[in-house]
Every structure is written in C-alpha cells, then in structure tokens.
Amino acid sequence: DTAVSQTPKYLVTQMGNDKSIKCEQNLGHDTMYWYKQDSKKFLKIMFSYNNKELIINETVPNRFSPKSPDKAHLNLHINSLELGDSAVYFCASSQIRADTEAFFGQGTRLTVV
Amino acid sequence: AQSVTQLGSHVSVSEGALVLLRCNYSSSVPPYLFWYVQYPNQGLQLLLKYTSAATLVKGINGFEAEFKKSETSFHLTKPSAHMSDAAEYFCAVSGKGGKLIFGQGTELSVKP
C-alpha cells in the first residue's frame, strides 16, 4: 500500500498546454509539499500545505497553482507550460514538526516539447 | 538562512571499501539534519536523521552519520560498500514549516 502516490509518472506535453499532477498520501500527515528536481538533480521546495492551508510559496511563477481539497491530497496544476518547466516533480508529506522526516512519492517526470 | 553543502558531486569507491559522503550545514538554530537516498527513476528514501538525541546516528542499509557541531558537519559513512549502494545521496536540513533544504547531491558509484 503506497504511502505517497502521485500520478502520472511520466508526462510529455507541448509548450502552451495546461497539465495537472495529482498526489495522495495515506500516512495521516498534516502537511504536504511539492518539490522540483532539475536536470542537475537539485531539489527545491515549491509549495507546502498544512491542513489545506498554503504555508510555503517559494517564488514560483503564478502559472503553477497548487490545490489541496483535503489533508490527504495535494494537486499541482500548471498553465501555459514552458520548456523550462521540464523537470521531475516530487510530492511529499510529513507532520509539520521540524524533526520529522518527509515521505516522498515516486516523482512525475514532466517533459515539455 | 539555513543551507547545506555537499562536497563532491560524484564519489567513486570499490566494492568493500569505505563510503564517506560529506555534508556541511549552516543554521542559526540547532539543526535537524537528514540523509536521503534516490535510486534511479525513484523517489527519495530516508536513510537516517539527526534530531539532537544522539550525535552518532545509525540508519538503514548499514549507513551511519555523525553530527559534529564544532565542524558544522554531518558526514555519511558506511564501512563496506555494496554494488546496490550506487545511487544519488542528498543531505538536507529542516527549515520553516517542515520544508527540507537540500544539498546539491552526491552521486555514489561502486566499482566491482
């Protein structure tokens, strides 16, 4: 039973399209995150939701819009996709306490052509 | 601001040799530190974490790390490398709101 699952695993799309990535966690955590991993494998936080409330928004273009319908789900919608959006996007969840580890999904590899 | 620096983007060892992956942190508050491993085309898996309980932390798969405040370091070691240890390793510090601030990553190669 997967703890953090995200779909799809691969996404290939054309510039200008709109796409969504979905994430679900069954760990009972109160906080969910989106991280972006670039082509050099560098990982950076994009967003964080705690109990459905946005608490972190790290200077991400407003073409990216996260939505959390409930504590167990966090989706990422991307409008007007650009070549530079190509990356691996990871969903993660944890309790908001700083000493607890985050659990990661398998990642969504987005390729914009 | 908190940050993490991993020295060496690529480390290569022979099977059976010592693995040493270096991580230095910067933090204005007592840090919580983590090591994660990423196998190809997979997500990140926690190896171990430091939360101030003990300076020597043991993790999964025979890995351990020692927190040294005087050196602001949290290096990852394993006495004997296996082929299956080949992966990308990330050191991270916990920031506001539970977010993780990652180092640049170190790719570990293991030669037969």
Side-chain angles (χ1 to χ4, degrees):
Chain A
D1 199 19
T2 306
V4 181
S5 59
Q6 55 183 108
T7 55
K9 190 170 172 65
Y10 300 97
L11 191 50
V12 181
T13 188
Q14 292 187 324
M15 281 175 52
N17 283 351
D18 303 339
K19 290 294 178 186
S20 292
I21 307 171
K22 296 186 175 183
C23 180
E24 175 181 5
Q25 56 100 358
N26 63 6
L27 298 167
H29 290 157
D30 59 11
T31 306
M32 296 184 71
Y33 312 83
W34 281 112
Y35 288 85
K36 180 179 181 180
Q37 186 173 46
D38 64 22
S39 58
K40 295 184 179 175
K41 298 200 175 175
F42 183 65
L43 281 152
K44 188 168 164 54
I45 184 76
M46 298 174 68
F47 300 104
S48 170
Y49 271 78
N50 174 252
N51 289 321
K52 301 195 298 175
E53 181 183 345
L54 180 66
I55 58 170
I56 295 174
N57 182 344
E58 292 274 323
T59 61
V60 178
N62 57 16
R63 297 183 295 104
F64 290 78
S65 52
K67 292 260 185 332
S68 181
D70 55 57
K71 283 193 334 180
H73 296 85
L74 179 61
N75 303 322
L76 183 64
H77 188 75
I78 315 170
N79 290 326
S80 304
L81 278 154
E82 300 177 357
L83 292 176
D85 297 332
S86 296
V88 181
Y89 293 85
F90 285 101
C91 177
S93 73
S94 75
Q95 292 299 109
I96 197 169
R97 283 171 40 196
D99 62 343
T100 59
E101 64 268 30
F103 289 77
F104 284 78
Q106 293 292 292
T108 295
R109 182 175 293 276
L110 172 65
T111 303
V112 183
V113 298
Chain B
Q2 292 163 302
S3 66
V4 169
T5 301
Q6 291 182 239
L7 297 176
S9 59
H10 187 260
V11 170
S12 182
V13 300
S14 297
E15 195 172 18
L18 171 72
V19 175
L20 171 60
L21 304 182
R22 299 177 189 274
C23 172
N24 288 88
Y25 69 90
S26 173
S27 178
S28 56
V29 297
Y32 297 116
L33 296 160
F34 305 82
W35 274 100
Y36 281 86
V37 60
Q38 183 181 24
Y39 298 103
N41 297 316
Q42 293 191 28
L44 281 76
Q45 180 183 4
L46 180 73
L47 280 175
L48 49 82
K49 65 179 181 180
Y50 168 75
T51 57
S52 76
T55 56
L56 183 61
V57 182
K58 294 189 184 300
I60 62 170
N61 301 339
F63 284 94
E64 64 180 38
E66 187 171 8
F67 174 75
K68 291 187 177 180
K69 185 178 177 181
S70 61
E71 299 177 8
T72 62
S73 68
F74 189 56
H75 302 332
L76 182 71
T77 60
K78 182 174 180 177
S80 176
H82 295 161
M83 296 296 292
S84 60
D85 294 327
E88 191 85 19
Y89 291 80
F90 294 94
C91 183
V93 64
S94 185
K96 258 189 183 178
K99 72 177 181 181
L100 291 171
I101 301 151
F102 286 93
Q104 303 91 324
T106 298
E107 182 182 4
L108 175 66
S109 300
V110 182
K111 299 174 289 189

PDB file of all heavy atoms in Angstrom, chain B residues 10-42:
ATOM      1  N   HIS B  10      30.379  13.805  -7.201  1.00  0.00           N
ATOM      2  CA  HIS B  10      30.490  12.403  -7.582  1.00  0.00           C
ATOM      3  C   HIS B  10      31.591  11.742  -6.770  1.00  0.00           C
ATOM      4  O   HIS B  10      32.708  12.254  -6.687  1.00  0.00           O
ATOM      5  CB  HIS B  10      30.784  12.276  -9.085  1.00  0.00           C
ATOM      6  CG  HIS B  10      30.747  10.860  -9.557  1.00  0.00           C
ATOM      7  ND1 HIS B  10      31.883  10.103  -9.759  1.00  0.00           N
ATOM      8  CD2 HIS B  10      29.704  10.048  -9.852  1.00  0.00           C
ATOM      9  CE1 HIS B  10      31.541   8.888 -10.157  1.00  0.00           C
ATOM     10  NE2 HIS B  10      30.231   8.828 -10.230  1.00  0.00           N
ATOM     11  N   VAL B  11      31.252  10.600  -6.181  1.00  0.00           N
ATOM     12  CA  VAL B  11      32.221   9.808  -5.413  1.00  0.00           C
ATOM     13  C   VAL B  11      32.208   8.391  -5.964  1.00  0.00           C
ATOM     14  O   VAL B  11      31.136   7.815  -6.185  1.00  0.00           O
ATOM     15  CB  VAL B  11      31.858   9.802  -3.913  1.00  0.00           C
ATOM     16  CG1 VAL B  11      32.692   8.794  -3.149  1.00  0.00           C
ATOM     17  CG2 VAL B  11      32.025  11.193  -3.311  1.00  0.00           C
ATOM     18  N   SER B  12      33.405   7.862  -6.185  1.00  0.00           N
ATOM     19  CA  SER B  12      33.521   6.507  -6.696  1.00  0.00           C
ATOM     20  C   SER B  12      34.353   5.673  -5.730  1.00  0.00           C
ATOM     21  O   SER B  12      35.438   6.096  -5.314  1.00  0.00           O
ATOM     22  CB  SER B  12      34.182   6.518  -8.083  1.00  0.00           C
ATOM     23  OG  SER B  12      34.251   5.218  -8.610  1.00  0.00           O
ATOM     24  N   VAL B  13      33.839   4.497  -5.360  1.00  0.00           N
ATOM     25  CA  VAL B  13      34.564   3.608  -4.451  1.00  0.00           C
ATOM     26  C   VAL B  13      34.524   2.196  -5.020  1.00  0.00           C
ATOM     27  O   VAL B  13      33.664   1.877  -5.854  1.00  0.00           O
ATOM     28  CB  VAL B  13      33.966   3.606  -3.028  1.00  0.00           C
ATOM     29  CG1 VAL B  13      33.999   5.004  -2.413  1.00  0.00           C
ATOM     30  CG2 VAL B  13      32.550   3.050  -3.021  1.00  0.00           C
ATOM     31  N   SER B  14      35.409   1.363  -4.540  1.00  0.00           N
ATOM     32  CA  SER B  14      35.382  -0.046  -4.914  1.00  0.00           C
ATOM     33  C   SER B  14      34.470  -0.808  -3.961  1.00  0.00           C
ATOM     34  O   SER B  14      34.281  -0.406  -2.802  1.00  0.00           O
ATOM     35  CB  SER B  14      36.789  -0.650  -4.846  1.00  0.00           C
ATOM     36  OG  SER B  14      37.635  -0.015  -5.782  1.00  0.00           O
ATOM     37  N   GLU B  15      33.920  -1.881  -4.449  1.00  0.00           N
ATOM     38  CA  GLU B  15      33.072  -2.723  -3.603  1.00  0.00           C
ATOM     39  C   GLU B  15      33.891  -3.175  -2.398  1.00  0.00           C
ATOM     40  O   GLU B  15      35.036  -3.601  -2.529  1.00  0.00           O
ATOM     41  CB  GLU B  15      32.582  -3.929  -4.404  1.00  0.00           C
ATOM     42  CG  GLU B  15      31.426  -4.662  -3.749  1.00  0.00           C
ATOM     43  CD  GLU B  15      30.828  -5.728  -4.666  1.00  0.00           C
ATOM     44  OE1 GLU B  15      31.496  -6.123  -5.645  1.00  0.00           O
ATOM     45  OE2 GLU B  15      29.695  -6.150  -4.404  1.00  0.00           O
ATOM     46  N   GLY B  16      33.297  -3.041  -1.200  1.00  0.00           N
ATOM     47  CA  GLY B  16      34.003  -3.424   0.018  1.00  0.00           C
ATOM     48  C   GLY B  16      34.759  -2.289   0.671  1.00  0.00           C
ATOM     49  O   GLY B  16      35.187  -2.415   1.829  1.00  0.00           O
ATOM     50  N   ALA B  17      34.930  -1.187  -0.015  1.00  0.00           N
ATOM     51  CA  ALA B  17      35.663  -0.043   0.531  1.00  0.00           C
ATOM     52  C   ALA B  17      34.750   0.833   1.366  1.00  0.00           C
ATOM     53  O   ALA B  17      33.519   0.753   1.287  1.00  0.00           O
ATOM     54  CB  ALA B  17      36.283   0.773  -0.600  1.00  0.00           C
ATOM     55  N   LEU B  18      35.383   1.713   2.145  1.00  0.00           N
ATOM     56  CA  LEU B  18      34.643   2.659   2.971  1.00  0.00           C
ATOM     57  C   LEU B  18      33.941   3.696   2.100  1.00  0.00           C
ATOM     58  O   LEU B  18      34.516   4.218   1.147  1.00  0.00           O
ATOM     59  CB  LEU B  18      35.606   3.367   3.921  1.00  0.00           C
ATOM     60  CG  LEU B  18      35.050   4.538   4.725  1.00  0.00           C
ATOM     61  CD1 LEU B  18      34.104   4.044   5.814  1.00  0.00           C
ATOM     62  CD2 LEU B  18      36.190   5.361   5.329  1.00  0.00           C
ATOM     63  N   VAL B  19      32.708   3.999   2.462  1.00  0.00           N
ATOM     64  CA  VAL B  19      31.981   5.084   1.815  1.00  0.00           C
ATOM     65  C   VAL B  19      31.972   6.284   2.747  1.00  0.00           C
ATOM     66  O   VAL B  19      31.632   6.151   3.935  1.00  0.00           O
ATOM     67  CB  VAL B  19      30.519   4.672   1.510  1.00  0.00           C
ATOM     68  CG1 VAL B  19      29.740   5.863   0.946  1.00  0.00           C
ATOM     69  CG2 VAL B  19      30.481   3.503   0.541  1.00  0.00           C
ATOM     70  N   LEU B  20      32.362   7.450   2.234  1.00  0.00           N
ATOM     71  CA  LEU B  20      32.309   8.697   3.007  1.00  0.00           C
ATOM     72  C   LEU B  20      31.727   9.781   2.116  1.00  0.00           C
ATOM     73  O   LEU B  20      32.336  10.156   1.116  1.00  0.00           O
ATOM     74  CB  LEU B  20      33.698   9.102   3.479  1.00  0.00           C
ATOM     75  CG  LEU B  20      33.812  10.505   4.114  1.00  0.00           C
ATOM     76  CD1 LEU B  20      32.928  10.623   5.351  1.00  0.00           C
ATOM     77  CD2 LEU B  20      35.276  10.817   4.458  1.00  0.00           C
ATOM     78  N   LEU B  21      30.550  10.261   2.485  1.00  0.00           N
ATOM     79  CA  LEU B  21      29.910  11.343   1.750  1.00  0.00           C
ATOM     80  C   LEU B  21      29.810  12.533   2.693  1.00  0.00           C
ATOM     81  O   LEU B  21      29.281  12.413   3.802  1.00  0.00           O
ATOM     82  CB  LEU B  21      28.516  10.930   1.262  1.00  0.00           C
ATOM     83  CG  LEU B  21      28.464   9.663   0.404  1.00  0.00           C
ATOM     84  CD1 LEU B  21      27.022   9.399  -0.047  1.00  0.00           C
ATOM     85  CD2 LEU B  21      29.378   9.752  -0.795  1.00  0.00           C
ATOM     86  N   ARG B  22      30.290  13.685   2.223  1.00  0.00           N
ATOM     87  CA  ARG B  22      30.448  14.836   3.114  1.00  0.00           C
ATOM     88  C   ARG B  22      29.287  15.818   3.019  1.00  0.00           C
ATOM     89  O   ARG B  22      28.795  16.106   1.924  1.00  0.00           O
ATOM     90  CB  ARG B  22      31.751  15.565   2.792  1.00  0.00           C
ATOM     91  CG  ARG B  22      32.988  14.705   2.988  1.00  0.00           C
ATOM     92  CD  ARG B  22      34.250  15.449   2.593  1.00  0.00           C
ATOM     93  NE  ARG B  22      35.410  14.567   2.586  1.00  0.00           N
ATOM     94  CZ  ARG B  22      36.142  14.295   3.659  1.00  0.00           C
ATOM     95  NH1 ARG B  22      35.871  14.875   4.824  1.00  0.00           N
ATOM     96  NH2 ARG B  22      37.169  13.475   3.572  1.00  0.00           N
ATOM     97  N   CYS B  23      28.905  16.330   4.176  1.00  0.00           N
ATOM     98  CA  CYS B  23      27.821  17.305   4.256  1.00  0.00           C
ATOM     99  C   CYS B  23      28.166  18.315   5.339  1.00  0.00           C
ATOM    100  O   CYS B  23      28.467  17.947   6.474  1.00  0.00           O
ATOM    101  CB  CYS B  23      26.511  16.607   4.590  1.00  0.00           C
ATOM    102  SG  CYS B  23      25.126  17.723   4.951  1.00  0.00           S
ATOM    103  N   ASN B  24      28.110  19.593   4.975  1.00  0.00           N
ATOM    104  CA  ASN B  24      28.258  20.668   5.943  1.00  0.00           C
ATOM    105  C   ASN B  24      27.013  21.533   5.914  1.00  0.00           C
ATOM    106  O   ASN B  24      26.432  21.751   4.858  1.00  0.00           O
ATOM    107  CB  ASN B  24      29.499  21.514   5.638  1.00  0.00           C
ATOM    108  CG  ASN B  24      30.780  20.774   5.971  1.00  0.00           C
ATOM    109  OD1 ASN B  24      31.324  20.051   5.143  1.00  0.00           O
ATOM    110  ND2 ASN B  24      31.243  20.922   7.186  1.00  0.00           N
ATOM    111  N   TYR B  25      26.620  22.004   7.067  1.00  0.00           N
ATOM    112  CA  TYR B  25      25.390  22.774   7.147  1.00  0.00           C
ATOM    113  C   TYR B  25      25.671  24.160   7.712  1.00  0.00           C
ATOM    114  O   TYR B  25      26.698  24.402   8.340  1.00  0.00           O
ATOM    115  CB  TYR B  25      24.363  22.049   8.020  1.00  0.00           C
ATOM    116  CG  TYR B  25      24.759  22.034   9.482  1.00  0.00           C
ATOM    117  CD1 TYR B  25      24.362  23.044  10.343  1.00  0.00           C
ATOM    118  CD2 TYR B  25      25.547  21.003   9.993  1.00  0.00           C
ATOM    119  CE1 TYR B  25      24.750  23.045  11.670  1.00  0.00           C
ATOM    120  CE2 TYR B  25      25.950  20.999  11.315  1.00  0.00           C
ATOM    121  CZ  TYR B  25      25.554  22.019  12.155  1.00  0.00           C
ATOM    122  OH  TYR B  25      25.948  22.024  13.470  1.00  0.00           O
ATOM    123  N   SER B  26      24.717  25.037   7.470  1.00  0.00           N
ATOM    124  CA  SER B  26      24.731  26.363   8.086  1.00  0.00           C
ATOM    125  C   SER B  26      23.341  26.600   8.649  1.00  0.00           C
ATOM    126  O   SER B  26      22.343  26.458   7.939  1.00  0.00           O
ATOM    127  CB  SER B  26      25.065  27.421   7.031  1.00  0.00           C
ATOM    128  OG  SER B  26      24.920  28.714   7.567  1.00  0.00           O
ATOM    129  N   SER B  27      23.296  26.932   9.940  1.00  0.00           N
ATOM    130  CA  SER B  27      22.000  27.146  10.571  1.00  0.00           C
ATOM    131  C   SER B  27      22.163  28.035  11.790  1.00  0.00           C
ATOM    132  O   SER B  27      23.087  27.835  12.586  1.00  0.00           O
ATOM    133  CB  SER B  27      21.384  25.804  10.971  1.00  0.00           C
ATOM    134  OG  SER B  27      20.146  25.983  11.622  1.00  0.00           O
ATOM    135  N   SER B  28      21.248  28.975  11.952  1.00  0.00           N
ATOM    136  CA  SER B  28      21.304  29.888  13.097  1.00  0.00           C
ATOM    137  C   SER B  28      20.623  29.277  14.325  1.00  0.00           C
ATOM    138  O   SER B  28      20.731  29.819  15.418  1.00  0.00           O
ATOM    139  CB  SER B  28      20.647  31.216  12.739  1.00  0.00           C
ATOM    140  OG  SER B  28      19.324  30.988  12.310  1.00  0.00           O
ATOM    141  N   VAL B  29      19.948  28.165  14.121  1.00  0.00           N
ATOM    142  CA  VAL B  29      19.287  27.464  15.221  1.00  0.00           C
ATOM    143  C   VAL B  29      19.785  26.027  15.210  1.00  0.00           C
ATOM    144  O   VAL B  29      20.325  25.566  14.201  1.00  0.00           O
ATOM    145  CB  VAL B  29      17.753  27.504  15.086  1.00  0.00           C
ATOM    146  CG1 VAL B  29      17.246  28.932  15.148  1.00  0.00           C
ATOM    147  CG2 VAL B  29      17.302  26.841  13.793  1.00  0.00           C
ATOM    148  N   PRO B  30      19.640  25.316  16.341  1.00  0.00           N
ATOM    149  CA  PRO B  30      20.043  23.895  16.330  1.00  0.00           C
ATOM    150  C   PRO B  30      19.345  23.173  15.186  1.00  0.00           C
ATOM    151  O   PRO B  30      18.121  23.231  15.074  1.00  0.00           O
ATOM    152  CB  PRO B  30      19.568  23.406  17.698  1.00  0.00           C
ATOM    153  CG  PRO B  30      19.586  24.619  18.562  1.00  0.00           C
ATOM    154  CD  PRO B  30      19.207  25.758  17.672  1.00  0.00           C
ATOM    155  N   PRO B  31      20.118  22.521  14.330  1.00  0.00           N
ATOM    156  CA  PRO B  31      19.527  21.948  13.122  1.00  0.00           C
ATOM    157  C   PRO B  31      18.966  20.548  13.319  1.00  0.00           C
ATOM    158  O   PRO B  31      19.410  19.802  14.174  1.00  0.00           O
ATOM    159  CB  PRO B  31      20.724  21.898  12.172  1.00  0.00           C
ATOM    160  CG  PRO B  31      21.877  21.594  13.091  1.00  0.00           C
ATOM    161  CD  PRO B  31      21.568  22.324  14.380  1.00  0.00           C
ATOM    162  N   TYR B  32      17.979  20.233  12.496  1.00  0.00           N
ATOM    163  CA  TYR B  32      17.583  18.858  12.301  1.00  0.00           C
ATOM    164  C   TYR B  32      18.090  18.471  10.907  1.00  0.00           C
ATOM    165  O   TYR B  32      17.796  19.171   9.934  1.00  0.00           O
ATOM    166  CB  TYR B  32      16.068  18.700  12.379  1.00  0.00           C
ATOM    167  CG  TYR B  32      15.515  19.056  13.731  1.00  0.00           C
ATOM    168  CD1 TYR B  32      14.655  20.130  13.892  1.00  0.00           C
ATOM    169  CD2 TYR B  32      15.866  18.322  14.862  1.00  0.00           C
ATOM    170  CE1 TYR B  32      14.134  20.468  15.132  1.00  0.00           C
ATOM    171  CE2 TYR B  32      15.356  18.652  16.108  1.00  0.00           C
ATOM    172  CZ  TYR B  32      14.497  19.729  16.233  1.00  0.00           C
ATOM    173  OH  TYR B  32      14.012  20.060  17.470  1.00  0.00           O
ATOM    174  N   LEU B  33      18.823  17.372  10.825  1.00  0.00           N
ATOM    175  CA  LEU B  33      19.518  17.008   9.591  1.00  0.00           C
ATOM    176  C   LEU B  33      19.092  15.626   9.116  1.00  0.00           C
ATOM    177  O   LEU B  33      18.816  14.744   9.924  1.00  0.00           O
ATOM    178  CB  LEU B  33      21.034  17.040   9.805  1.00  0.00           C
ATOM    179  CG  LEU B  33      21.609  18.414  10.130  1.00  0.00           C
ATOM    180  CD1 LEU B  33      22.966  18.298  10.790  1.00  0.00           C
ATOM    181  CD2 LEU B  33      21.702  19.258   8.866  1.00  0.00           C
ATOM    182  N   PHE B  34      19.085  15.454   7.815  1.00  0.00           N
ATOM    183  CA  PHE B  34      18.607  14.222   7.206  1.00  0.00           C
ATOM    184  C   PHE B  34      19.543  13.815   6.071  1.00  0.00           C
ATOM    185  O   PHE B  34      20.116  14.670   5.390  1.00  0.00           O
ATOM    186  CB  PHE B  34      17.199  14.422   6.615  1.00  0.00           C
ATOM    187  CG  PHE B  34      16.185  14.934   7.602  1.00  0.00           C
ATOM    188  CD1 PHE B  34      16.099  16.279   7.888  1.00  0.00           C
ATOM    189  CD2 PHE B  34      15.312  14.051   8.225  1.00  0.00           C
ATOM    190  CE1 PHE B  34      15.170  16.762   8.799  1.00  0.00           C
ATOM    191  CE2 PHE B  34      14.377  14.530   9.137  1.00  0.00           C
ATOM    192  CZ  PHE B  34      14.303  15.875   9.429  1.00  0.00           C
ATOM    193  N   TRP B  35      19.636  12.508   5.867  1.00  0.00           N
ATOM    194  CA  TRP B  35      20.230  11.963   4.656  1.00  0.00           C
ATOM    195  C   TRP B  35      19.157  11.133   3.948  1.00  0.00           C
ATOM    196  O   TRP B  35      18.529  10.262   4.559  1.00  0.00           O
ATOM    197  CB  TRP B  35      21.429  11.070   4.957  1.00  0.00           C
ATOM    198  CG  TRP B  35      22.730  11.801   5.098  1.00  0.00           C
ATOM    199  CD1 TRP B  35      23.355  12.155   6.254  1.00  0.00           C
ATOM    200  CD2 TRP B  35      23.578  12.240   4.037  1.00  0.00           C
ATOM    201  NE1 TRP B  35      24.543  12.799   5.977  1.00  0.00           N
ATOM    202  CE2 TRP B  35      24.703  12.869   4.621  1.00  0.00           C
ATOM    203  CE3 TRP B  35      23.507  12.174   2.636  1.00  0.00           C
ATOM    204  CZ2 TRP B  35      25.742  13.413   3.865  1.00  0.00           C
ATOM    205  CZ3 TRP B  35      24.537  12.716   1.890  1.00  0.00           C
ATOM    206  CH2 TRP B  35      25.640  13.331   2.503  1.00  0.00           C
ATOM    207  N   TYR B  36      19.005  11.426   2.646  1.00  0.00           N
ATOM    208  CA  TYR B  36      18.092  10.672   1.799  1.00  0.00           C
ATOM    209  C   TYR B  36      18.887  10.024   0.671  1.00  0.00           C
ATOM    210  O   TYR B  36      19.908  10.535   0.236  1.00  0.00           O
ATOM    211  CB  TYR B  36      17.042  11.597   1.176  1.00  0.00           C
ATOM    212  CG  TYR B  36      15.911  11.987   2.098  1.00  0.00           C
ATOM    213  CD1 TYR B  36      16.042  13.090   2.952  1.00  0.00           C
ATOM    214  CD2 TYR B  36      14.716  11.288   2.109  1.00  0.00           C
ATOM    215  CE1 TYR B  36      14.998  13.463   3.791  1.00  0.00           C
ATOM    216  CE2 TYR B  36      13.668  11.656   2.946  1.00  0.00           C
ATOM    217  CZ  TYR B  36      13.818  12.737   3.782  1.00  0.00           C
ATOM    218  OH  TYR B  36      12.785  13.104   4.616  1.00  0.00           O
ATOM    219  N   VAL B  37      18.351   8.902   0.168  1.00  0.00           N
ATOM    220  CA  VAL B  37      18.941   8.243  -0.999  1.00  0.00           C
ATOM    221  C   VAL B  37      17.895   8.189  -2.109  1.00  0.00           C
ATOM    222  O   VAL B  37      16.695   8.029  -1.845  1.00  0.00           O
ATOM    223  CB  VAL B  37      19.437   6.816  -0.651  1.00  0.00           C
ATOM    224  CG1 VAL B  37      18.304   5.917  -0.162  1.00  0.00           C
ATOM    225  CG2 VAL B  37      20.118   6.163  -1.855  1.00  0.00           C
ATOM    226  N   GLN B  38      18.372   8.403  -3.332  1.00  0.00           N
ATOM    227  CA  GLN B  38      17.491   8.316  -4.503  1.00  0.00           C
ATOM    228  C   GLN B  38      18.084   7.323  -5.491  1.00  0.00           C
ATOM    229  O   GLN B  38      19.157   7.572  -6.055  1.00  0.00           O
ATOM    230  CB  GLN B  38      17.320   9.690  -5.154  1.00  0.00           C
ATOM    231  CG  GLN B  38      16.353   9.678  -6.327  1.00  0.00           C
ATOM    232  CD  GLN B  38      16.213  11.041  -6.989  1.00  0.00           C
ATOM    233  OE1 GLN B  38      17.092  11.888  -6.899  1.00  0.00           O
ATOM    234  NE2 GLN B  38      15.093  11.260  -7.649  1.00  0.00           N
ATOM    235  N   TYR B  39      17.397   6.222  -5.701  1.00  0.00           N
ATOM    236  CA  TYR B  39      17.791   5.270  -6.730  1.00  0.00           C
ATOM    237  C   TYR B  39      17.225   5.739  -8.067  1.00  0.00           C
ATOM    238  O   TYR B  39      16.238   6.492  -8.093  1.00  0.00           O
ATOM    239  CB  TYR B  39      17.319   3.866  -6.373  1.00  0.00           C
ATOM    240  CG  TYR B  39      17.928   3.347  -5.082  1.00  0.00           C
ATOM    241  CD1 TYR B  39      17.184   3.323  -3.898  1.00  0.00           C
ATOM    242  CD2 TYR B  39      19.249   2.916  -5.032  1.00  0.00           C
ATOM    243  CE1 TYR B  39      17.747   2.887  -2.711  1.00  0.00           C
ATOM    244  CE2 TYR B  39      19.817   2.477  -3.853  1.00  0.00           C
ATOM    245  CZ  TYR B  39      19.057   2.472  -2.699  1.00  0.00           C
ATOM    246  OH  TYR B  39      19.612   2.050  -1.507  1.00  0.00           O
ATOM    247  N   PRO B  40      17.818   5.310  -9.180  1.00  0.00           N
ATOM    248  CA  PRO B  40      17.375   5.802 -10.494  1.00  0.00           C
ATOM    249  C   PRO B  40      15.872   5.668 -10.697  1.00  0.00           C
ATOM    250  O   PRO B  40      15.291   4.621 -10.410  1.00  0.00           O
ATOM    251  CB  PRO B  40      18.158   4.907 -11.465  1.00  0.00           C
ATOM    252  CG  PRO B  40      19.392   4.545 -10.709  1.00  0.00           C
ATOM    253  CD  PRO B  40      18.972   4.396  -9.281  1.00  0.00           C
ATOM    254  N   ASN B  41      15.279   6.758 -11.171  1.00  0.00           N
ATOM    255  CA  ASN B  41      13.849   6.808 -11.501  1.00  0.00           C
ATOM    256  C   ASN B  41      12.949   6.493 -10.305  1.00  0.00           C
ATOM    257  O   ASN B  41      11.837   5.978 -10.488  1.00  0.00           O
ATOM    258  CB  ASN B  41      13.521   5.852 -12.653  1.00  0.00           C
ATOM    259  CG  ASN B  41      14.234   6.260 -13.918  1.00  0.00           C
ATOM    260  OD1 ASN B  41      14.272   7.445 -14.260  1.00  0.00           O
ATOM    261  ND2 ASN B  41      14.845   5.301 -14.588  1.00  0.00           N
ATOM    262  N   GLN B  42      13.425   6.794  -9.121  1.00  0.00           N
ATOM    263  CA  GLN B  42      12.607   6.583  -7.935  1.00  0.00           C
ATOM    264  C   GLN B  42      12.546   7.847  -7.081  1.00  0.00           C
ATOM    265  O   GLN B  42      13.254   8.819  -7.333  1.00  0.00           O
ATOM    266  CB  GLN B  42      13.163   5.418  -7.110  1.00  0.00           C
ATOM    267  CG  GLN B  42      13.045   4.063  -7.796  1.00  0.00           C
ATOM    268  CD  GLN B  42      13.354   2.922  -6.862  1.00  0.00           C
ATOM    269  OE1 GLN B  42      13.171   3.018  -5.649  1.00  0.00           O
ATOM    270  NE2 GLN B  42      13.812   1.819  -7.420  1.00  0.00           N
TER     271      GLN B  42
END
